[in-house]
Amino acid sequence: MICVSVCMGTGGISAGGDKVFHNFEAELLKHDIEATVNKGCSVHQVGCRGLCAKDVLVDVIANGVKSTYEHIKPDMVMKIVEEHLIKGAPIKEWLVKEDYHNFNAKQMKVVLEDCGVVDPEDIESYIERGGYQAVKKVLTTMTPLDTVETIKRSGLRGRGGGGFPTGLKWEFAVKNHADQKYIICNADEGDPGAFMDRSVIEGNPHSVLEGMIIGAYAIGATKGYVYIRAEYPLAVERLRIAIKAAKEKGFLGKNILGRGVDLEIKVKLGAGAFVCGEETALIASIEGKRGTPKSRPPFPAQKGLFGKPTVINNVETLANVPQIIKRGADWFASIGTEKSKGTKVFAITGKIKNSGLIEVPMGISLKEIIYDIGGGMEDELAFKAVQTGGPSGGCIPASMIDLKVDYESLAAAGSIMGSGGLVVMNEGDCMVNIAKFFLEFTQLESCGKCTPCRIGTKRLFEILTRITEGKGRKGDIEFLIDVCNDVKATSLCGLGMTAPNPILSTIKYFRREYEAHINEKRCPAKVCNALLTFTIDKEACTGCTMCAKTCPASAIEGDKKKPHTIISDKCIKCGSCFDVCKFKAVNKE
Amino acid sequence: MSQKITINNKVLIVEDGLTILQAARANNIYIPTLCEDPRLEPYGGCRLCIVWVEGMPRPATSCTTPVTDGMVVKTHTEYIEKLRKTIIEFMLSDHPNDCMMCQKTGDCRLQDLAYKYDANYTKFVGVRRNYPIVDDNPFIHFEPNKCVLCGKCTNICQNLVKTGTIEMTKRGFYSKPDTAFSKPRTPENCQFCGQCISVCPVGALSERPSLGKGRRHEMKLVRTTCTYCGTGCNFYLNVKDEKVVKVTSDYDAVVNKGNLCIKGRFGYEFIHHPDRIKTPLIREGDGYREASWDEALTLVSTKFTELIEKYGNDSVGAFSSSRCSNEENFLIGKFARTVMGTNNVDNCARV
């Protein structure tokens, strides 16, 4: 039996996964007649397996031996089929190297266990791997209260960012009696650079549905929504296929498994507003209203969707639930630290070798994530900081690389766990500019309802812009800290309350960089163009004229094949010459 | 059941189900607000009503937080007042601050708060909204750049009037209450009740016909009852130089609690109109001539008596106006039955 699995997550597809997949199908069909060896050979698509930097990844299982190929292009398929599948000799130079194995060695896959293994569009593939066993177990042997108790005992906390104990959330909803209750899966993943929830739904949508069914049974909800952003078309499509299949199999709809339990799940598309990941704004959006948050109390568990008790859980939280039911609360509680149990999925991006999707036990150190799993820095520049929690989080400096990754430790360091974005930065990143980048995002994504977030984040962004443009003034740092604290204290929802975090944490750990910008009008990382002077190295310049052609200000002079010069009076410091020069002849200081 | 709470070291017994703000108001404790209106659901947007509640990790908005037994609240600590000042300064940093020219001067909540908190309107400097003034209809004048996004205009239009003419549009800093697709207000999408104007705490929304005709301190307010229908709404006529130039809401009015319709709010033009009929008119030939009330009533009574004598009581009837009060309608019914001796009584309000 030969089996070929092609990575068809969003990363896989954008690297050409679908063409690879079709070429395998075609090649296998073509060789079917002459090569008996590949009879019964199957090729199937799987979801994201994490190491997106090496896409397209292809698993080939032949004679019981699994070989994994990396960076596979469509035109490489023919050779793999001929050499490996027909002649039985794997192509060594295309196989994954040591770093692929290191990438997986320190990980612990609970939520992602079946991602990259099951075919996300085939429910049978999920059932074969033990799927829907947890639903059977819950519906046949456990009462709703048992279920809530199990989740409470497991110590599972919300993976969307807040870290609220899931069991407690369910318990509140159980206690509120109503003729109708709702369960909502929050798949409105909005952090820039985050793709955890997306990958889970694309790779194993049934695990999320199974978690929802169990949650609905526990709290007594008969209607469910998956609120997912429309920018995730593949996830939406796979989710819809999964819901239809689960319905046909009797895991959804009326009288689930003949146990008299009903659950209808609808998919609701969000228009991509970051704030709609906030529970009350999400509810407003499903209700067809403008997606703005509301003050709590009342909490959604008391008065949620359409005024009824509602539980909202994040994708990853729900995907943990079937595993906890199957393997027991004690097993789950044995993973992680005292207060943060289980594993956490991270989307690791930035200046790192192995960018991709990882799952690690809580309590692992940042160092292990960045160096052992991430493979260290992508180039010679040294590691500087890591941003956790997206725009609501903070930057943790290199000096704190031994920090343990759990809810409490991250909070103590001035950041948050967040939904699981990890952006790695090196010495080439300007921390003032990073703070500005995140504030630019939050001030754009503010819904505009409350004053401190609507105007405060805008003003903070403007102050940062001013500093990066060399117009910083004495006292700006203290002013920023003061305004940040006021915005945090007075904003309505989590967006405004956490938006100043990137500023506060970068000031806390990289105050000198702010001082260099403000007092010396200097950007130590050489990122803020307005603070740099561009010159051309006469030795290195070949006179290719590329810079002169690109310069929007016509500030570069020089004859063909002779060294060029930049006229500093005309230079607008846009950095275009630096970007286009192929000979590293443009210097910025 | 009642709750025992402490506000500013004062122990209070308050009704169950109240918010901190309501409890404070009931006990004459002032808390500044911009987005609160007793007729609307708490909004919690302006953030000025924050108070310090013992045991809570951060300031709570008093308009949305229900009182609980044993709660200890401080409404004016140094820290809370500092936060309020920052919020006001945020607003001023995106406000035209052209109070000298503004219709709302003297009656503007933001102006009062800026004064009260000694706010510095240059503390924050940055871009401002730059929306054009909306002057596309005869009743509602909108200056978006003055808007503080308290949300009351959209809230009252959506949830109290239930017309849904305006809703918040755009996002973040550039949010703006607006009609669908920014279309002009027309009778198709708007009732022109002006409820939105009545709740606007600043000069963003104002009565178009009253622009430039005087500001709050120049007005003599005359409380009266609307003459248009039998509901009996109360409001204030704003009189300047013996002329009615505006109608404003009376929020204490038992009948309408400050709510008004287009007629009540804008239909006062007739008061000073040259065509207004001020005396009874008697038809003569092809036209009318002015007459005294005595002459007119004598004529009516003579004619009625003649008709009744000639054709019987049911040859006459009484038809009264829906603009009359209940009491007046009762009287005309009584008059028809007992004096004219007929049951022919009707009213135009029975369509």
Side-chain angles (χ1 to χ4, degrees):
Chain A
M1 170 79 183
I2 290 173
C3 185
V4 179
S5 305
V6 181
C7 184
M8 291 272 273
T10 297
I13 290 180
S14 56
D18 51 349
K19 277 197 184 127
V20 172
F21 179 77
H22 289 303
N23 283 9
F24 264 110
E25 277 191 324
E27 285 294 321
L28 291 171
L29 196 71
K30 197 171 92 190
H31 290 284
D32 197 12
I33 316 146
E34 46 197 66
T36 49
V37 63
N38 56 1
K39 259 226 169 108
C41 179
S42 69
V43 52
H44 66 149
Q45 55 175 351
V46 293
C48 184
R49 59 180 69 205
L51 199 50
C52 305
K54 301 204 178 294
D55 269 326
V56 179
L57 287 160
V58 177
D59 279 337
V60 175
I61 302 172
N63 306 323
V65 182
K66 181 168 136 184
S67 317
T68 306
Y69 289 103
E70 61 183 24
H71 296 307
I72 295 306
K73 300 265 169 306
D75 55 7
M76 294 155 85
V77 171
M78 200 168 85
K79 192 170 168 195
I80 295 176
V81 172
E82 280 172 5
E83 301 279 322
H84 190 161
L85 297 185
I86 298 171
K87 294 180 189 158
I91 306 163
K92 286 213 176 101
E93 60 270 31
W94 292 354
L95 288 176
V96 288
K97 313 290 176 312
E98 197 190 347
D99 58 351
Y100 178 82
H101 300 292
N102 288 346
F103 181 75
N104 287 309
K106 285 231 173 175
Q107 295 197 47
M108 178 168 188
K109 303 219 170 173
V110 174
V111 170
L112 300 179
E113 192 184 23
D114 290 334
C115 281
V117 180
V118 299
D119 181 343
E121 296 181 11
D122 181 12
I123 190 170
E124 294 298 344
S125 157
Y126 181 65
I127 293 171
E128 267 171 38
R129 300 272 306 173
Y132 288 109
Q133 287 299 328
V135 163
K136 279 183 195 156
K137 182 174 171 187
V138 163
L139 290 191
T140 52
T141 65
M142 294 166 81
T143 64
L145 282 178
D146 286 343
T147 316
V148 173
E149 200 50 43
T150 306
I151 299 300
K152 257 173 84 180
R153 224 154 30 83
S154 75
L156 175 65
R157 293 168 69 174
R159 297 293 194 247
F164 192 80
T166 308
L168 270 184
K169 209 180 217 184
W170 289 12
E171 196 175 38
F172 289 146
V174 170
K175 283 180 183 161
N176 288 304
H177 300 282
D179 52 350
Q180 176 71 59
K181 292 183 192 177
Y182 294 96
I183 185 158
I184 299 174
C185 170
N186 183 351
D188 190 66
E189 185 174 48
D191 290 4
F195 46 89
M196 297 78 58
D197 297 346
R198 171 184 200 159
S199 304
V200 171
I201 293 181
E202 287 176 0
N204 194 2
H206 286 286
S207 66
V208 181
L209 292 183
E210 193 172 2
M212 281 184 84
I213 299 164
I214 294 164
Y217 172 72
I219 64 161
T222 53
K223 282 183 184 166
Y225 285 88
V226 182
Y227 187 84
I228 182 166
R229 39 183 50 214
E231 293 98 319
Y232 286 181
L234 184 65
V236 172
E237 189 195 331
R238 288 188 174 159
L239 198 60
R240 286 195 166 132
I241 294 170
I243 291 173
K244 192 164 168 259
K247 231 174 175 173
E248 284 164 5
K249 285 272 172 189
F251 296 120
L252 273 180
K254 290 250 178 277
N255 198 13
I256 296 170
L257 300 175
R259 303 292 296 176
V261 177
D262 302 339
L263 178 65
E264 200 73 48
I265 294 183
K266 283 184 185 167
V267 177
K268 178 86 190 173
L269 298 189
F274 180 61
V275 76
C276 285
E278 200 279 342
E279 290 192 346
T280 53
L282 187 152
I283 287 174
S285 176
I286 293 182
E287 287 173 346
K289 297 177 187 154
R290 180 176 163 88
T292 54
K294 262 186 181 168
S295 293
R296 288 172 282 190
F299 291 91
Q302 304 164 304
K303 269 178 107 179
L305 186 61
F306 302 117
K308 303 291 183 185
T310 304
V311 158
I312 304 176
N313 288 133
N314 161 267
V315 170
E316 192 188 333
T317 315
L318 287 167
N320 268 303
V321 168
Q323 300 279 19
I324 294 169
I325 298 292
K326 273 194 282 190
R327 301 193 204 176
D330 295 332
W331 161 80
F332 190 83
S334 71
I335 309 167
T337 64
E338 194 200 333
K339 284 185 175 164
S340 306
K341 302 295 186 190
T343 59
K344 179 76 193 84
V345 179
F346 286 101
I348 173 164
T349 54
K351 309 286 167 60
I352 195 156
K353 262 194 198 126
N354 302 334
S355 58
L357 193 70
I358 62 165
E359 184 172 359
V360 289
M362 294 274 191
I364 192 173
S365 73
L366 280 171
K367 192 176 189 174
E368 287 170 282
I369 294 180
I370 294 164
Y371 285 96
D372 299 341
I373 300 170
M377 296 296 103
E378 65 172 3
D379 51 31
E380 69 276 9
L381 289 174
F383 168 64
K384 186 174 192 180
V386 57
Q387 164 88 13
T388 69
S392 315
C395 287
I396 297 165
S399 60
M400 294 175 77
I401 195 163
D402 290 317
L403 188 81
K404 286 196 181 323
V405 175
D406 60 59
Y407 292 100
E408 279 71 29
S409 309
L410 285 171
S415 184
I416 59 164
M417 173 77 79
S419 57
L422 263 181
V423 185
V424 178
M425 287 166 270
N426 65 18
E427 288 299 337
D429 287 307
C430 167
M431 301 315 281
V432 184
N433 193 51
I434 291 288
K436 189 184 97 179
F437 167 79
F438 282 114
L439 259 293
E440 181 176 18
F441 177 82
T442 33
Q443 57 96 18
L444 267 179
E445 289 295 341
S446 166
C447 76
K449 179 170 177 176
C450 80
T451 319
C453 180
R454 182 181 70 245
I455 306 177
T457 58
K458 182 96 183 163
R459 297 294 174 246
L460 287 172
F461 169 63
E462 286 167 345
I463 297 169
L464 291 172
T465 307
R466 191 157 55 72
I467 294 174
T468 57
E469 284 172 352
K471 295 172 197 154
R473 293 192 286 257
K474 205 165 173 273
D476 268 350
I477 298 180
E478 290 68 29
F479 189 57
L480 274 174
I481 295 174
D482 186 48
V483 180
C484 280
N485 286 328
D486 286 358
V487 170
K488 272 173 87 93
T490 51
S491 288
L492 198 170
C493 81
L495 200 162
M497 280 187 236
T498 58
N501 283 352
I503 307 180
L504 289 173
S505 68
T506 48
I507 291 182
K508 186 173 171 191
Y509 298 118
F510 301 95
R511 197 183 175 106
R512 267 200 219 143
E513 268 187 62
Y514 279 86
E515 285 166 353
H517 281 78
I518 296 167
N519 302 334
E520 302 154 35
K521 311 288 176 216
R522 188 171 65 82
C523 174
K526 298 180 188 171
V527 172
C528 303
N529 283 346
L531 299 178
L532 302 174
T533 312
F534 290 84
T535 51
I536 291 173
D537 181 351
K538 297 240 182 299
E539 307 280 306
C541 182
T542 63
C544 74
T545 73
M546 198 65 181
C547 55
K549 279 182 195 151
T550 312
C551 180
S554 305
I556 302 179
E557 284 179 347
D559 295 329
K560 256 186 204 170
K561 295 191 179 171
K562 297 227 169 98
H564 283 46
T565 42
I566 298 174
I567 307 156
S568 54
D569 291 352
K570 281 191 180 176
C571 176
I572 56 165
K573 301 183 179 186
C574 67
S576 305
C577 50
F578 182 86
D579 294 337
V580 296
C581 182
K582 288 176 188 156
F583 308 98
K584 292 194 175 168
V586 179
N587 294 325
K588 48 181 184 182
E589 284 301 329
Chain B
M1 220 186 92
S2 57
Q3 314 272 355
K4 194 173 148 185
I5 64 164
T6 311
I7 303 183
N8 302 343
N9 302 322
K10 219 164 104 188
V11 179
L12 306 168
I13 308 293
V14 301
E15 270 176 66
D16 204 17
L18 291 189
T19 62
I20 298 175
L21 182 67
Q22 288 166 333
R25 290 232 172 115
N27 288 281
N28 292 321
I29 298 166
Y30 167 78
I31 296 175
T33 61
L34 276 176
C35 69
E36 186 269 351
D37 187 296
R39 294 165 292 173
L40 303 171
E41 288 268 305
Y43 185 65
C46 75
R47 316 304 288 171
L48 283 171
C49 73
I50 45 168
V51 291
W52 190 259
V53 181
E54 251 175 45
M56 287 197 186
R58 59 197 295 271
T61 41
S62 59
C63 69
T64 59
T65 312
V67 292
T68 50
D69 204 42
M71 193 178 244
V72 179
V73 179
K74 293 240 161 65
T75 60
H76 286 76
T77 66
E78 202 181 312
Y79 177 52
I80 292 289
E81 291 285 87
K82 184 237 175 195
L83 293 177
R84 285 183 188 143
K85 186 173 174 181
T86 302
I87 293 169
I88 295 162
E89 286 169 334
F90 278 148
M91 287 177 179
L92 296 183
S93 77
D94 184 31
H95 192 83
N97 301 327
D98 59 349
C99 304
M100 281 181 283
M101 305 300 295
C102 184
Q103 178 72 22
K104 195 79 172 183
T105 284
D107 191 22
C108 171
R109 200 85 73 86
L110 183 64
Q111 194 183 37
D112 293 347
L113 286 170
Y115 179 77
K116 187 175 159 59
Y117 281 84
D118 192 21
N120 176 355
Y121 63 87
T122 55
K123 182 172 169 188
F124 301 102
V125 182
V127 293
R128 292 179 176 191
R129 291 162 295 168
N130 188 16
Y131 288 120
I133 289 173
V134 182
D135 197 26
D136 55 19
N137 68 82
F139 300 109
I140 299 169
H141 178 81
F142 181 35
E143 300 186 30
N145 303 332
K146 289 182 180 171
C147 175
V148 290
L149 277 297
C150 71
K152 281 197 285 192
C153 55
T154 57
N155 211 337
I156 204 162
C157 187
Q158 297 280 339
N159 301 319
L160 197 139
V161 185
K162 295 192 186 289
T163 314
T165 307
I166 49 171
E167 176 57 294
M168 258 337 147
T169 63
K170 304 186 191 279
R171 271 156 66 171
F173 188 76
Y174 294 98
S175 299
K176 175 170 95 162
D178 204 354
T179 55
F181 310 108
S182 282
K183 287 195 171 168
R185 289 184 194 244
T186 62
E188 281 76 42
N189 66 11
C190 180
Q191 292 187 0
F192 297 105
C193 61
Q195 288 278 85
C196 49
I197 304 173
S198 73
V199 291
C200 184
V202 294
L205 284 161
S206 38
E207 295 86 349
R208 180 74 186 78
S210 313
L211 281 186
K213 294 194 178 157
R215 300 201 279 206
R216 178 66 188 82
H217 71 279
E218 300 168 276
M219 302 292 174
K220 192 173 107 193
L221 296 193
V222 181
R223 192 175 183 274
T224 188
T225 303
C226 181
T227 55
Y228 276 103
C229 80
T231 307
C233 296
N234 300 135
F235 54 65
Y236 290 106
L237 292 173
N238 288 224
V239 184
K240 187 192 169 194
D241 301 335
E242 301 305 309
K243 279 210 161 175
V244 175
V245 294
K246 187 157 87 174
V247 164
T248 49
S249 290
D250 173 12
Y251 296 100
D252 298 326
V254 182
V255 178
N256 57 317
K257 298 181 175 64
N259 300 314
L260 287 174
C261 71
I262 179 174
K263 295 182 187 171
R265 197 178 308 278
F266 294 111
Y268 54 83
E269 198 188 9
F270 71 92
I271 297 174
H272 305 294
H273 201 279
D275 292 348
R276 182 176 173 186
I277 300 168
K278 293 174 182 162
T279 62
L281 299 175
I282 292 174
R283 194 180 343 229
E284 264 186 7
D286 291 337
Y288 296 90
R289 71 167 166 85
E290 287 187 3
S292 69
W293 279 104
D294 276 347
E295 190 195 351
L297 288 173
T298 309
L299 178 69
V300 172
S301 107
T302 317
K303 293 265 178 184
F304 270 11
T305 316
E306 278 174 26
L307 286 168
I308 292 168
E309 277 172 3
K310 202 166 172 189
Y311 302 107
N313 296 59
D314 282 340
S315 65
V316 294
F319 191 82
S320 67
S321 165
S322 62
R323 288 173 62 173
C324 299
S325 66
N326 283 340
E327 293 78 0
E328 286 164 333
N329 278 311
F330 173 81
L331 280 177
I332 194 72
K334 194 88 175 169
F335 180 82
R337 292 190 182 92
T338 57
V339 179
M340 301 202 294
T342 177
N343 285 326
N344 293 342
V345 188
D346 211 342
N347 183 292
C348 73
R350 54 182 287 282
V351 242

